[in-house]
Amino acid sequence: MASYVALAVVAGVIASVTIDRSLAEQLETQLDRRLTAQAHVVARWIAQTKHYDRLATRLATVVAARVTIVDASGVAIGDSEGAVDDPGAAAHAPVPSEIRTAHSGHVGRATRYSAERGQDMRYVAVPASSELAVRLGVPTAEIDSTKASLRGQLLAASSVSLLIAVVLAVIVARTLSRRLRQLSAVAEQIGRGNYDTPPPSRSPDEIGILSRTLHMTASQLRQIDAMRREFLSDVAHELRTPVTSIRGYAETLTASEMDDGTRTEFLQVIHRNALRIARLVDDLLQLQALEDSAIKREATAKVAAATIIDHVLATAGASAIADPDRPRFEVGVPPALCVLADPDGLEQILQNLVDNAVKYGGTGVTVRVSAARHGQRVAIAVADNGPGIAEAHLPRIFDRFYRADSGRSREQGGSGLGLAIAKKLAQSMNGHIDVQSEQGRGTTFTLELPAG
Ligand code: ADP
């Protein structure tokens, strides 16, 4: 506000000084014009008479100015105030500049202190007939008083404007600072974790924009906060079962006597649950790492799809060896088909899809892995003829900790993070993963990647 007032003062002073100057100039030119016109009139009268002194006195009352008639040598031969020179003595006195100019045929002007009058005078001299010149003089005090009154009015006007400007500045500054204080109070509330910000200002100015941005930020923070809470409770929930189980078995082991067979069995349960926790932690860390790397990972290499798929099926087959109703695997992949991918990531995705098909496909499931090129993309499909996934679950199947059949998934040691990780991995390789399923018929997951 101080700078605004300073600016107003500077602008006011500059404007006042300029106006004052131009008004003063105008007054002076007006006076000069009047005196010049009147001097010409007086000059015409000169031809009519030889009584210059009397003429000067008479005309002086008409034109309200001192009238002096001067001859060619600069001697005053007529003066309304009786200052007629002694022809002999005055010849030596210096001829005033305005008279000299008049004698040379032009209009002479000068402002000078007059000792006789004891005040500053404005003189205008014009040439007249028979080598004479006429000079009119008025005291500058006349226009000075006009100037002073104009200046007074100007000062009053600029003071009033300045006052108005200051009052306006105070009002604007108050309103602005009140609105800014409100905003900062809202920001403080958000900082404290209270995201229920008041409705944002509708005003189209910068503060309005800031307020709306703040409101948006608050809603985003609220969402993030809700997600964080949900995530924490999900993790706690996931950990509770294996931890409770480990605690129970460990307590029983330490508290009671038992035979070696039971002891081994208990220890195996503890080990299984510890593995489950370890897997959950690993999965969480991987998911976190994938979410952190906002920049897409470059597809690292050209990979033969068939090679990776062979690895995946070998691993799945080996783990299912003990199963009497072993899953059957079918492969339909052109040997030369290549994708642009990170080989480890690709293997992890496919392993997860094939393992899921085996886990949830039920006894005697057939898992078919096929791949085909469509333009610049390659689609790798993992299909099973298992029970399928109910339509209600499909949209959320890739969510963290989401399980379509939670009993079965937990029993299978699943963390509910496999598909979430697969989806993120696919995205990090500029890929995309999709699911199609029909209950009772089976499920097909399709991974799409850039062709290599
Ligand atoms: P999990 O660790 O539980 O296997 P995933 O994220 O890999 O977690 O899978 C999420 C859920 O999707 C599983 O719990 C399961 O209910 C369902 N699901 C995944 N693949 C299949 C499939 N091939 N057939 C039927 N259900 C499946």
Side-chain angles (χ1 to χ4, degrees), residues 352 356-357 359-360 384 388-389 397 402-405 409 414-420 443 445:
N352 181 260
N356 276 354
K359 272 196 297 188
Y360 305 111
D384 66 66
I389 304 166
I397 205 82
Y402 193 82
R403 295 177 173 100
D405 174 356
S409 165
S415 66
L417 292 172
L419 285 178
T443 308
F445 283 92

